[in-house]
C-alpha cells in the first residue's frame, strides 16, 4: 500500500528535476516515500573503459536530495547504495583519495562499482550530519 519513488538523477540533474517532480506529486495529492539512489545516476567510465563512480558525485547528489526535500517540507525516506565491507577500489575519491589508476588494485565487481568500507562510513557520516541538522515541524 505504499509508493516509494527512488530518485536516481545524478548530481547535475537533481537540482533542476527533483523540485519539479516533487511539485507534480504534491499537485496530485499523492503520498509517497522519497528514496535516493545516488549510485546509478553518477556512473561513468574511465578512458580505458572501466566503470566507476566518484565519491564526491555520490555525496553531492545525496546532500542535494536531502536539502531539496527539506526545503519543500518533506522528510527524506532513505538511501540505496552499492557498498561492501571490503577495501575494494571500485569508486574513486573519498578520504582515501582513490584515483583512476588505483582502480585495478582492488576492482572486484562484475556489475556495479561499490563503495568500500571506508567510503561507506564516510558517506554515512556526511548523511548523518545533514539529516540531523534538519528540523521538521
Amino acid at each position: 500500500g505504499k509508493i516509494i519513488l527512488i530518485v536516481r538523477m545524478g548530481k547535475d540533474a537533481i537540482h533542476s528535476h527533483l523540485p519539479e517532480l516533487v511539485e507534480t506529486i504534491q499537485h496530485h495529492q499523492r503520498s509517497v516515500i522519497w528514496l535516493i539512489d545516488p549510485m546509478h545516476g553518477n556512473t561513468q567510465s574511465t578512458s580505458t573503459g572501466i566503470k566507476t563512480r566518484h565519491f564526491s558525485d555520490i555525496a553531492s547528489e545525496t546532500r542535494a536530495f536531502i536539502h531539496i526535500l527539506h526545503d519543500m517540507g518533506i522528510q527524506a525516506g532513505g538511501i540505496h547504495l552499492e557498498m561492501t565491507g571490503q577495501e575494494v577500489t571500485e569508486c574513486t575519491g573519498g578520504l582515501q583519495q582513490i584515483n583512476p589508476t588505483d582502480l585495478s588494485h582492488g576492482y572486484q565487481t562484475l556489475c556495479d562499482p561499490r563503495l568500500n568500507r571506508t567510503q561507506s562510513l564516510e558517506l554515512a557520516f556526511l548523511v548523518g550530519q545533514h539529516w540531523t541538522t534538519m528540523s521538521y515541524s
Side-chain angles (χ1 to χ4, degrees):
K2 296 190 186 306
I3 298 174
I4 300 173
L5 293 181
I6 303 172
V7 177
R8 48 192 284 186
M9 299 178 174
K11 69 172 180 64
D12 296 327
I14 194 163
H15 294 283
S16 59
H17 296 304
L18 182 58
E20 182 180 349
L21 179 60
V22 170
E23 288 171 358
T24 300
I25 296 296
Q26 289 176 331
H27 173 75
H28 291 285
Q29 299 178 346
R30 299 290 186 234
S31 177
V32 302
I33 297 170
W34 293 94
L35 216 96
I36 181 75
D37 172 354
M39 304 298 285
H40 288 92
N42 293 301
T43 302
Q44 52 192 262
S45 293
T46 66
S47 59
T48 58
I50 298 173
K51 196 166 140 180
T52 189
R53 298 167 172 139
H54 198 281
F55 181 85
S56 66
D57 295 344
I58 295 164
S60 176
E61 184 177 3
T62 303
R63 278 192 302 271
F65 172 78
I66 293 167
H67 288 281
I68 290 167
L69 289 184
H70 178 264
D71 291 347
M72 299 182 85
I74 297 169
Q75 172 71 48
I79 183 169
H80 164 83
L81 301 170
E82 271 82 34
M83 56 190 264
T84 179
Q86 301 170 348
E87 283 301 326
V88 297
T89 55
E90 298 170 359
C91 294
T92 58
L95 291 173
Q96 295 170 304
Q97 299 179 358
I98 296 170
N99 63 57
T101 58
D102 297 323
L103 292 175
S104 62
H105 298 296
Y107 197 94
Q108 298 176 9
T109 187
L110 298 176
C111 182
D112 283 330
R114 302 163 295 171
L115 296 169
N116 64 33
R117 146 179 70 225
T118 303
Q119 292 167 324
S120 299
L121 289 171
E122 182 181 353
L123 187 62
F125 179 76
L126 292 172
V127 168
Q129 281 183 312
H130 288 274
W131 241 304
T132 58
T133 61
M134 303 290 170
S135 62
Y136 297 87
S137 303

